[in-house]
Amino acid sequence: QVQLVESGGGLVQAGGSLRLSCAASGRTSYAMGWFRQTPGKEREFIARFQWSTGSTHYAESVKGRFTISRDNAKNTVYLQMNDLKPEDTAIYYCASSTVWTVIPTEYRYWGQGTQVTVSS
């Protein structure tokens, strides 16, 4: 079982930045994804990363503002979030998958989530 531990959430003003971290227990997964969710709404894909090729893909809502990356030595995936907007407020989750997908149910393992709140 892949274990994921998230950190880095917090409260920031609009236009500010945060970097989320997701420490993984191993590198056996094919890809990692970042999702976000507000209570009462469906889970939303925001970014994904493929370990073997380094390929990335971003949701249109965050393209140009968010960047997904990794630190091989720490076996950690990051989500750098710049120019944050109030609509970015949500619980952010990292997840591990064995396929290249944006569908939440196709991700096998999930972190516990970290709260990001952006004030206006």
Side-chain angles (χ1 to χ4, degrees):
Q1 178 177 326
V2 175
Q3 295 178 309
L4 307 174
V5 180
E6 299 170 326
S7 62
L11 173 63
V12 298
Q13 295 182 349
S17 298
L18 284 173
R19 189 178 74 164
L20 306 184
S21 299
C22 178
S25 64
R27 300 178 183 177
T28 58
S29 65
Y30 178 73
M32 299 290 293
W34 285 96
F35 297 79
R36 65 188 182 188
Q37 186 170 28
T38 300
K41 298 182 179 179
E42 67 180 15
R43 192 162 297 184
E44 176 189 11
F45 163 81
I46 55 174
R48 55 179 171 165
F49 174 87
Q50 186 185 42
W51 289 104
S52 61
T53 67
S55 297
T56 60
H57 172 227
Y58 300 91
E60 189 66 28
S61 60
V62 305
K63 191 177 300 182
R65 298 188 296 120
F66 291 10
T67 303
I68 190 170
S69 62
R70 69 176 176 182
D71 185 327
N72 289 332
K74 296 180 178 180
N75 202 27
T76 299
V77 176
Y78 302 97
L79 184 69
Q80 178 66 47
M81 306 185 294
N82 297 326
D83 191 25
L84 284 162
K85 305 176 184 298
E87 53 263 42
D88 294 319
T89 295
I91 299 175
Y92 283 72
Y93 300 88
C94 66
S96 173
S97 73
T98 58
V99 294
W100 189 237
T101 181
V102 302
I103 302 174
T105 56
E106 294 183 349
Y107 282 76
R108 180 67 177 87
Y109 301 104
W110 294 81
Q112 80 286 352
T114 184
Q115 177 70 46
V116 172
T117 302
V118 184
S119 64
S120 59

